[in-house]
Amino acid sequence: MRRALAVLVLLLLAAGGGYWWFAVRAPAGEQARGRRTPDVIPVSVVAAETRDVPIYLDGLGTVQASATVTVKPMVDGPLLEVHFREGQDVAVGDVLARIDPRIYQAAVDQAVAKKAQDAATLANARVDLVRYQKLAATAYTSAQQSDTQKALVAQL
């Protein structure tokens, strides 16, 4: 019991010493350091004058236009010429760009050739229909073959 009491007294003395060291003694040292005179800051004096001052704004961020327009072409292809500058005002009906017409000319040529081919096939089918109708009238071919040819002419 005596030994436990002695250990308890020693712990209390150690705690009191630590409190005095950190809580009581430290602010006195800080006050002594705070009493120093501050460093002198040099100041220059100039007469006031009126003049334009440039305004600079530096910052991070993004800039977004208040109004944007998406231009979608009615046709697609490689551009040959562009007839406007970025930011330029344009009106309805203005030619903005010229697209390479060769792709579309080739498509037109293909369509014309296909039409000519279909016209030739139709002409041949009509000639065969006349021939089958004559043969069916004289019973040298079946009426079914003549009717099939008539349906083919109607299809073409």
Side-chain angles (χ1 to χ4, degrees), residues 38-45:
D39 293 336
V40 178
I41 299 172
V43 176
S44 58
V45 179

Side-chain angles (χ1 to χ4, degrees), residues 5-133:
L5 187 60
V7 169
L8 183 63
V9 169
L10 283 175
L11 284 174
L12 287 173
L13 283 174
Y19 174 77
W20 177 79
W21 182 263
F22 290 107
V24 177
R25 184 177 170 275
E30 289 175 7
Q31 288 174 0
R33 277 185 260 141
R35 289 187 196 145
R36 287 187 336 181
T37 58
D39 293 336
V40 178
I41 299 172
V43 176
S44 58
V45 179
V46 177
E49 60 184 65
T50 303
R51 65 177 167 164
D52 291 337
V53 178
I55 298 173
Y56 295 101
L57 177 62
D58 292 332
L60 296 176
T62 58
V63 176
Q64 189 172 16
S66 61
T68 59
V69 175
T70 303
V71 177
K72 294 183 180 179
M74 295 174 70
V75 292
D76 202 15
L79 287 177
L80 295 179
E81 297 171 359
V82 177
H83 298 287
F84 69 95
R85 291 183 318 276
E86 187 173 338
Q88 173 185 346
D89 290 336
V90 294
V92 174
D94 286 354
V95 176
L96 301 179
R98 194 166 73 97
I99 297 175
D100 189 3
R102 293 178 294 182
I103 298 169
Y104 302 105
Q105 187 60 48
V108 168
D109 293 344
Q110 282 180 334
V112 168
K114 178 68 172 147
K115 183 180 182 234
Q117 179 184 10
D118 291 344
T121 304
L122 176 62
N124 185 39
R126 283 182 178 155
V127 169
D128 285 346
L129 175 61
V130 170
R131 188 176 301 132
Y132 286 132
Q133 285 175 340

